[in-house]
Amino acid sequence: SVIETDLVRVEFTNRGGDIISYKLKQHSDRMDSVEMAEFTTPENRAFSVILGDSTGTVVNQLFNVKRISDTAIGFYQTFYVDNHDGTQSKFTLAKQYTFLPGDYMFELKVTVDGDKDFKGLQFGKTAYTIKTSPQIGPEWIKGDQYEYRRFYQFLNGKKKVVNLSAEQTKKGDDNLAWAGVTGKYFTLLALPENGIQSTVYSMKSSDPSKSASQLFLSRGAINANKNTDTWRIYIGPRTEKELGKYNVSTNNPYGLSDVKIDQIVESSGILAPLEILLKWVMEFFYMMIPNWGVSIIILTIIMRAILFPFTKKSSEASLKMQELQPKMQEIQTKYKDNQQKMNEEMSKFYQSVGYNPLSGCLPVL
């Protein structure tokens, strides 16, 4: 099954009701759309459910499929759980994906609906765990200095970076508001309505030739006969323009406010306003000519033109310095044993020829 909007093309399998391909249509990678569900396999898919914590086994049954609309699809299957008295209870596990045009965020609703004897879903302290894709795009080679993968989490109003080395797995903090994995240009972020009970970050790959950056997001025990959780998942560009709109309820279709997922956007401190301006200019040219290389060239030409008066003045000052060098060396040699006198004579010389030694530095600064 496939769902397509103006921004994404998503391919599903009824094996677990999972995602096996997630392409960003407006972003290219090697002549194809950027794949944000990289390296999925029959055993490792995106948004698989594990009953219990991250150490459990992925639900691998074939699910029934229900196409709800052009941009929504559901999957469901019946399961049995052992009760404490030795009997079994039956429950239905359902997953519903809903996408909206013009938005990189989608909703994943996970429903557990049991029979009259069903008392909830609990394996230790966990009901179930959602596993993200093995890797996010674009495709890259480990060690490439121009790309990276980094984990983020948000707890008590503060963002935290979680760095892992290759093949490492690490448990994150509990009770997070959101968590995600980012590259230099794109990101995957999970924002459940009720928070994340626990998180595990993993860069362990089943294939040594391929990199991995995967999240295991656990939901606390369910003690009700029926329960529906809403997970909001952002998969898209790592830009202030797209991520910032979820801080204002009227700017996004989900009514989210002040979630602060835009904090994963890298800034340059006091130079951040300049960075935002230059990014806006590049995106403007990209809209006219959808090629980042061309956008960079045009921006470079414009910056060179703007800075030309300053670089011209600096170059003229450098040439002037070369002309005056012989006389300056003569003064330095003559008064080499008297630093104060040397400085006085140098100052007189500069005044006589109308030269300011700072004139070559200030324009560049």
Side-chain angles (χ1 to χ4, degrees):
S1 300
V2 174
I3 283 183
E4 199 162 351
T5 71
D6 55 326
L7 300 180
V8 302
R9 183 185 186 277
V10 187
E11 186 176 348
F12 301 86
T13 173
N14 61 341
R15 180 73 65 181
D18 302 338
I19 290 175
I20 55 176
S21 176
Y22 199 109
K23 292 188 175 181
L24 305 181
K25 295 168 61 176
Q26 297 189 4
H27 300 274
S28 299
D29 179 25
R30 294 174 175 83
M31 306 304 292
D32 194 8
S33 299
V34 171
E35 176 62 78
M36 293 295 287
E38 283 271 38
F39 308 146
T40 56
T41 67
E43 296 77 30
N44 196 357
R45 307 176 295 269
F47 300 101
S48 298
V49 169
I50 301 171
L51 296 180
D53 62 21
S54 61
T55 62
T57 303
V58 168
V59 172
N60 209 36
Q61 285 86 339
L62 293 174
F63 276 49
N64 300 293
V65 185
K66 182 180 180 181
R67 191 63 181 249
I68 300 167
S69 69
D70 290 342
T71 56
I73 190 170
F75 301 88
Y76 61 96
Q77 184 53 274
T78 300
F79 295 87
Y80 292 86
V81 62
D82 293 331
N83 299 319
H84 294 299
D85 60 3
T87 61
Q88 285 190 324
S89 295
K90 182 173 69 173
F91 71 94
T92 298
L93 175 64
K95 299 165 70 178
Q96 179 179 319
Y97 301 84
T98 303
F99 299 81
L100 295 175
D103 204 282
Y104 283 106
M105 184 176 284
F106 70 88
E107 275 191 349
L108 169 58
K109 289 184 181 293
V110 179
T111 298
V112 175
D113 187 3
D115 61 17
K116 60 182 179 59
D117 298 320
F118 183 70
K119 304 301 181 183
L121 197 62
Q122 181 173 355
F123 302 89
K125 296 180 179 180
T126 306
Y128 64 85
T129 297
I130 291 178
K131 184 169 68 169
T132 65
S133 57
Q135 182 60 280
I136 62 172
E139 187 176 349
W140 65 297
I141 300 171
K142 286 186 289 187
D144 180 358
Q145 61 178 325
Y146 299 108
E147 252 298 1
Y148 56 81
R149 294 296 179 266
R150 187 175 296 156
F151 297 100
Y152 284 88
Q153 60 181 35
F154 195 76
L155 175 65
N156 297 329
K158 293 183 179 180
K159 173 199 71 177
K160 180 180 178 181
V161 181
V162 181
N163 290 309
L164 275 71
S165 57
E167 301 302 313
Q168 186 180 6
T169 297
K170 185 175 183 180
K171 187 182 185 306
D173 293 329
D174 294 340
N175 303 315
L176 301 176
W178 53 259
V181 57
T182 76
K184 192 172 183 180
Y185 307 104
F186 302 96
T187 185
L188 182 158
L189 299 165
L191 300 84
E193 280 189 341
N194 299 318
I196 305 169
Q197 181 234 355
S198 64
T199 311
V200 172
Y201 308 100
S202 176
M203 295 190 74
K204 189 173 182 179
S205 176
S206 58
D207 185 343
S209 66
K210 296 177 180 179
S211 60
S213 301
Q214 197 162 30
L215 289 88
F216 296 79
L217 309 167
S218 295
R219 199 265 189 220
I222 295 173
N223 298 310
N225 179 265
K226 182 177 181 180
N227 180 84
T228 297
D229 295 322
T230 300
W231 296 73
R232 294 191 174 103
I233 313 293
Y234 177 93
I235 303 179
R238 186 185 178 188
T239 63
E240 174 68 32
K241 176 183 176 183
E242 294 296 338
L243 295 170
K245 65 184 182 181
Y246 302 105
N247 286 333
V248 181
S249 60
T250 55
N251 290 348
N252 65 85
Y254 302 102
L256 295 175
S257 63
D258 204 31
V259 295
K260 298 181 180 179
I261 58 175
D262 58 322
Q263 289 193 12
I264 68 165
V265 179
E266 293 181 342
S267 67
S268 301
I270 61 173
L271 295 179
L274 177 61
E275 178 183 330
I276 292 171
L277 173 63
L278 294 179
K279 285 180 178 178
W280 182 88
V281 173
M282 281 190 63
E283 289 173 353
F284 174 77
F285 290 123
Y286 182 82
M287 286 190 293
M288 295 191 295
I289 306 173
N291 185 300
W292 287 115
V294 173
S295 299
I296 292 171
I297 292 171
I298 295 174
L299 178 62
T300 303
I301 293 172
I302 290 175
M303 292 302 298
R304 292 276 183 169
I306 292 173
L307 296 175
F308 177 74
F310 303 99
T311 54
K312 180 174 181 289
K313 190 170 183 178
S314 180
S315 298
E316 290 173 345
S318 298
L319 292 173
K320 184 71 172 178
M321 173 68 82
Q322 292 177 15
E323 294 176 8
L324 302 178
Q325 199 67 33
K327 180 63 177 177
M328 292 167 59
Q329 290 177 348
E330 180 183 328
I331 294 173
Q332 290 169 348
T333 302
K334 184 176 180 180
Y335 300 102
K336 63 180 180 179
D337 296 327
N338 190 337
Q339 186 68 39
Q340 183 177 351
K341 185 65 175 177
M342 181 195 298
N343 293 337
E344 291 175 358
E345 292 298 320
M346 280 287 192
S347 179
K348 291 178 182 178
F349 174 63
Y350 290 149
Q351 290 178 0
S352 66
V353 296
Y355 175 73
N356 183 351
L358 295 178
S359 60
C361 303
L362 291 176
V364 176
L365 179 62

